Amino acid sequence: MMSRTSCGCMTLPSDAAFARSFSDALGIACTEARVRRFPDGELEVQWHPGAMPHTAVVVASLAATQTDSLHDRLMQLVFGIHQLKTAGVERCIGVVPYLGYARSDTKTAPTDMVGLQIVMRHLHYAGMDALLTVDVHTPAALHNAFTGSAWSVNAVPPMAKALYAHLPAQVPLSVCAPDVGAWKRARAWAGALSTPARGAVELAMVHKQRIRPDAVTHDAFTGDVEGRTVVVVDDMISTGGTMAQAVRTCYEHGAHAVWAAATHGLLVDPAPVRLAEVGVKGVLIADTIPDDRTVNTPLAERLHVVDVAPTCAEELSAVLPTGEL
């Protein structure tokens, strides 16, 4: 058993629920920051003035909330880490369940911005020594962008376990990738959902072409979904265009019922309405985004949220040397 006496969990207010689950799994104390916003828009992050731990695990998801923009959240994390380091914390490990700008990880033209590199530099300069996130868009890009140790937790096993309880045993199951980029994820989901009782899970894929950043068209479909329960899987749901089109396509090919499963449920408008309108049976997401974006929408009763904080705690314990925490 690793000693936890020199480690503490620190969190921004919006991430308190995730942080409590995470710290409970590790058996360490959790402290919540106080964030003040001044009339001119400037921010101040304050920690409790008590004794600081040797190692601080700082929990903050880089996603917009109902009260703060993504960029406000980034500055709160930067300020919070810097404050901890100046207060005597020796090592800061960031637990960032959703890593904003992770999709901006490569250049297609010389003048393109690589947002992931810029965000990682800010966090490194503030004093973050290591980073743990969940299902990052491109793990190799994260390792290239961050100066320090970085890990991406696989959320598929706990999410598949949670989803399995909602799937009827008597109906055959298929997992569908909404595009070529999600094919590897679909295979992982199919493996996680396969059991001796249910047997092998079939795979399907929708072939899409993106015509605008917020619009896609689907040209072809591969796989057998007729009469089956289908789970369409992706790493995130943003405006819901890709997922809604894939759900609709599965129904057009005879699916019995279609679920949507994605680690990061950004669910930016009009995603809740889009998914409800195509008749999605349920939407399964992880708790990597602080706010519930489906309140007072037709999707509210179909949303299922999986707590992946214990999985993150287990991963951090596994990758760090004995005594680090």
Side-chain angles (χ1 to χ4, degrees), residues 65-84:
T65 67
Q66 293 180 4
T67 57
D68 295 316
S69 71
L70 165 59
H71 305 106
D72 283 342
R73 301 272 295 161
L74 174 59
M75 293 313 299
Q76 289 172 26
L77 180 55
V78 168
F79 290 166
I81 292 170
H82 184 266
Q83 290 292 84
L84 289 171

Side-chain angles (χ1 to χ4, degrees), residues 98 124 129 137 139 154-155 173 180 243 284 305 315:
Y98 175 73
H124 174 68
D129 300 292
H137 188 65
N154 178 15
L173 181 63
V180 174
M243 186 63 76
L284 187 85
V305 182
E315 179 75 9

Side-chain angles (χ1 to χ4, degrees), residues 237 239-240 243-245 247-248 251 258 260 267 270-283 294 296-303:
I237 303 173
T239 59
M243 186 63 76
Q245 286 279 18
V247 170
R248 180 184 292 111
Y251 277 126
V258 184
L267 296 172
V273 173
R274 278 177 167 171
L275 291 169
E277 286 180 345
V278 296
V280 70
K281 177 73 173 178
V283 176
T294 67
N296 298 323
T297 75
L299 199 64
E301 295 183 356
R302 301 181 228 179
L303 186 71

Side-chain angles (χ1 to χ4, degrees), residues 233-271:
V233 300
D234 212 343
D235 60 342
M236 69 176 65
I237 303 173
S238 183
T239 59
T242 297
M243 186 63 76
Q245 286 279 18
V247 170
R248 180 184 292 111
T249 300
C250 288
Y251 277 126
E252 290 172 350
H253 284 77
H256 169 73
V258 184
W259 281 74
T263 302
H264 308 296
L266 295 172
L267 296 172
V268 179
D269 283 337

Side-chain angles (χ1 to χ4, degrees), residues 119-139:
V119 170
M120 291 298 97
R121 287 172 185 169
H122 275 76
L123 295 177
H124 174 68
Y125 293 151
M128 182 181 287
D129 300 292
L131 170 68
L132 183 141
T133 187
V134 181
D135 280 345
V136 73
H137 188 65
T138 309

Side-chain angles (χ1 to χ4, degrees), residues 2 11 29-30 38 44 64 69 90 93 131 140 144 175 189 196 212 228 233 247 249 255 258 264 276 299 305 312 322:
M2 292 185 293
T11 181
C30 184
F38 296 97
E44 181 182 64
S69 71
E90 292 291 330
I93 301 172
L131 170 68
N144 290 334
V175 171
W189 269 92
R212 297 194 310 273
R228 293 172 171 268
V233 300
V247 170
T249 300
V258 184
H264 308 296
L299 199 64
V305 182
C312 292
T322 300

